[in-house]
Amino acid sequence: MALALVFGLYFLSFCPLSCVSVGSRPLKRINSAVFGKLSRRISRYTAASALKVGIVGAGPAGLSMAKALQELDTGVDEVTVFDRGDALKPELGGGIQINGGAAVLAKLGLGDEIKAAGLPVKGIRSRTVAGNELFAIDVGEAFQGESELMHEGTPMAFTIMRDALQRVLADSIPEKTISLNKKLVSVNENTDQVKCTFQDGTTYEFDLLIGADGIRSEVKRQVWAGSNLDLNPKYSQIRIQFGVAKGWHLTDSQEMQQWFGDGTYALAAQYKGVNGQPFEMIALVFADPNEVSENANWEKGEVQLDCVNRLKASKNPPEVIQLAQRCDRFYELGVHYYPALQPWVSSKGRVILIGDAAHAMPPFLGQGANQAIQDAYCLAVKLAELKSGKISSLSEAARSYEISRKPPTAALQLESRLLGFLETAGGPGTIPASMRDIFFFVLGKLGIAKKTFVTGAVPRV
């Protein structure tokens, strides 16, 4: 009965959801002297107006947003990306997989750059730690017939280190677009503009402010402070330990390897870094009902030793354990998410959230960066429709973006949370590992695993 219920929820969660668009006739000026002032305010941000846009956060979400605003005919006259760091630092963070996001970046003219910077993903293979194959996905075959996931005959599925993707995006926009050492301390929004103040005392005014500053978004905290919203991300009762090693040593090259043990799920894969440098990453996922402060002073050696011990205890293959032992940097973090249906647009319509700031989701579908890039493209399209007159006001463009992007991201978040529960089977508060293994084996045999992967990858913009 439990398996049937989980299967039903899982099947429903990947059903395609259509994007909704909103539009109306352009507003007309009211020439009456009585309403002249009101008319000027309404018409200030109609199709003919140029916009000044600020973006907080210079990660993949914020940089993709800047690229989309500058590439599409959005009517944006000026865009600035602020980041609290003093540099876009290399070798920071881990590896990510991009598919739908890569396809969207190709629409923005970065197809060749992504192909050069990323390592093509040829397949995904899931096995138990005993070596029993649960399912395998040939990515090239899976993407055939999906034109939105192909670029000039190439399947747009890659692994790439986060800093390498950041480099591609930063190099694609004018250098003056990015402003570093800018820690946001306050946001004041009115009907005409948004004023941002930074820790160094500088202030800026924008027609539109976009929060792309991640799961602990300061933009979100500033704008929605005082509301009845819970601004703290929710702990999923799952933790991840991940390590990064230089070089390529795994036997199955360009294949993402998933290993399921009792209470654990391990992912091992190869990635390309800045200047094509080869990396491998191990991610170990396990259930833990005890939330630990993410500000804890984790020592690399302690996390690495704990990860290796967990891999050994759950009987992972020697190759996976050896990868963990080779890593020269290691991290541990709790998996958090935001309720997907929380507001993404402020009440006055001049502050908009994208990426993790809007809909942080567990990473078990590998869709975090992909969905952030799609958010950026969708919002830029809505602003282009504002300029063309298809949408009549900035506020309407913001709401149309939110309406378009919430259904697909909510579905993916639900699916990802369910996957996390299943993948850590055998751990505290979960189902038996044998039930999980049977479930994934059935998904593979029925072709549902492949369909789920493709459905999650197809851009919904």
Side-chain angles (χ1 to χ4, degrees):
M1 178 66 72
L3 182 60
L5 177 59
V6 170
F7 186 91
L9 286 171
Y10 195 79
F11 184 83
L12 286 174
S13 69
F14 66 73
C15 292
L17 290 170
S18 60
C19 295
V20 180
S21 42
V22 177
S24 64
R25 293 171 299 188
L27 293 173
K28 297 180 179 178
R29 286 186 183 272
I30 304 170
N31 294 318
S32 165
V34 177
F35 295 107
K37 184 177 180 180
L38 176 62
S39 173
R40 287 189 295 273
R41 176 171 291 181
I42 292 174
S43 62
R44 183 179 176 186
Y45 297 107
T46 58
S49 300
L51 296 173
K52 184 178 180 182
V53 177
I55 302 169
V56 178
L63 295 175
S64 296
M65 187 76 254
K67 176 63 175 176
L69 290 175
Q70 294 175 351
E71 190 72 21
L72 303 183
D73 187 13
T74 58
V76 172
D77 181 60
E78 181 182 338
V79 56
T80 307
V81 181
F82 300 97
D83 197 87
R84 62 188 298 171
D86 58 4
L88 301 181
K89 297 178 180 178
E91 296 193 9
L92 183 65
I96 57 179
Q97 58 170 304
I98 52 173
N99 35 64
V104 167
L105 291 177
K107 291 184 178 183
L108 295 174
L110 294 176
D112 291 339
E113 289 82 352
I114 292 297
K115 291 177 188 177
L119 182 68
V121 177
K122 293 182 177 178
I124 302 169
R125 190 177 305 274
S126 296
R127 289 168 281 195
T128 68
V129 292
N132 300 318
E133 185 170 291
L134 301 177
F135 64 83
I137 299 172
D138 182 316
V139 172
E141 185 273 331
F143 281 11
Q144 290 300 316
E146 299 290 344
S147 60
E148 291 184 272
L149 292 172
M150 304 292 289
H151 179 254
E152 298 177 349
T154 300
M156 296 302 282
F158 304 91
T159 52
I160 186 171
M161 298 301 290
R162 183 183 184 276
D163 59 342
L165 177 60
Q166 190 178 36
R167 173 74 64 85
V168 169
L169 293 167
D171 287 349
S172 74
I173 59 178
E175 186 176 355
K176 65 179 182 180
T177 304
I178 303 173
S179 182
L180 300 172
N181 272 320
K182 293 293 184 181
K183 182 180 179 182
L184 185 71
V185 294
S186 72
V187 176
N188 293 294
E189 179 190 20
N190 58 42
T191 55
D192 292 326
Q193 64 184 12
V194 184
K195 181 179 180 180
C196 299
T197 303
F198 294 88
Q199 193 174 55
D200 61 4
T202 57
T203 61
Y204 298 81
E205 294 180 349
F206 299 102
D207 301 312
L208 178 65
L209 178 67
I210 299 170
D213 49 342
I215 191 169
R216 307 284 177 180
S217 171
E218 184 63 21
V219 173
K220 185 171 190 171
R221 194 186 72 81
Q222 288 286 338
V223 174
W224 278 271
S227 71
N228 58 3
L229 290 178
D230 183 356
L231 300 179
N232 297 311
K234 307 299 181 185
Y235 178 52
S236 67
Q237 301 191 23
I238 294 174
R239 298 192 69 78
I240 298 180
Q241 296 171 332
F242 68 93
V244 178
K246 294 179 180 179
W248 289 336
H249 301 281
L250 291 172
T251 303
D252 298 318
S253 121
Q254 295 178 256
E255 182 177 84
M256 304 193 76
Q257 304 176 28
Q258 299 177 323
W259 297 94
F260 293 102
D262 194 12
T264 65
Y265 156 61
L267 173 68
Q270 298 175 334
Y271 300 79
K272 280 177 73 173
V274 173
N275 297 324
Q277 187 174 3
F279 288 94
E280 291 179 339
M281 192 175 81
I282 174 73
L284 180 66
V285 183
F286 55 93
D288 186 347
N290 302 309
E291 184 173 12
V292 180
S293 171
E294 297 309 316
N295 295 320
N297 185 25
W298 294 108
E299 293 292 335
K300 175 255 182 183
E302 293 177 1
V303 178
Q304 185 173 29
L305 179 61
D306 187 62
C307 180
V308 169
N309 288 338
R310 287 178 185 274
L311 289 169
K312 289 179 177 178
S314 53
K315 298 181 172 58
N316 272 269
E319 185 179 46
V320 177
I321 297 170
Q322 290 162 11
L323 170 55
Q325 292 170 331
R326 286 198 309 273
C327 292
D328 53 20
R329 63 183 192 261
F330 240 99
Y331 310 89
E332 178 172 332
L333 50 88
V335 175
H336 292 77
Y337 64 93
Y338 275 129
L341 299 182
Q342 282 190 352
W344 300 1
V345 178
S346 65
S347 60
K348 297 181 180 67
R350 296 191 174 278
V351 180
I352 303 174
L353 303 177
I354 66 172
D356 282 352
H359 50 68
M361 61 182 69
F364 306 116
L365 282 170
Q367 282 298 311
N370 289 291
Q371 296 307 308
I373 294 168
Q374 291 178 50
D375 288 349
Y377 185 83
C378 181
L379 179 53
V381 167
K382 299 304 177 184
L383 294 176
E385 291 176 353
L386 171 64
K387 182 176 184 294
S388 70
K390 185 176 180 181
I391 288 178
S392 61
S393 70
L394 180 58
S395 178
E396 185 182 339
R399 302 296 175 191
S400 181
Y401 150 76
E402 185 176 30
I403 290 170
S404 296
R405 291 294 298 151
K406 267 191 175 178
T409 54
L412 287 168
Q413 186 186 86
L414 173 63
E415 186 178 346
S416 190
R417 289 173 59 190
L418 179 57
L419 268 178
F421 173 77
L422 290 169
E423 289 173 345
T424 56
T430 65
I431 61 175
S434 58
M435 184 178 292
R436 170 203 61 200
D437 298 344
I438 293 170
F439 178 71
F440 283 130
F441 180 77
V442 172
L443 286 184
K445 288 298 182 184
L446 295 179
I448 295 175
K450 180 175 75 172
K451 181 177 176 60
T452 302
F453 173 68
V454 173
T455 300
V458 171
R460 308 287 177 187
V461 292

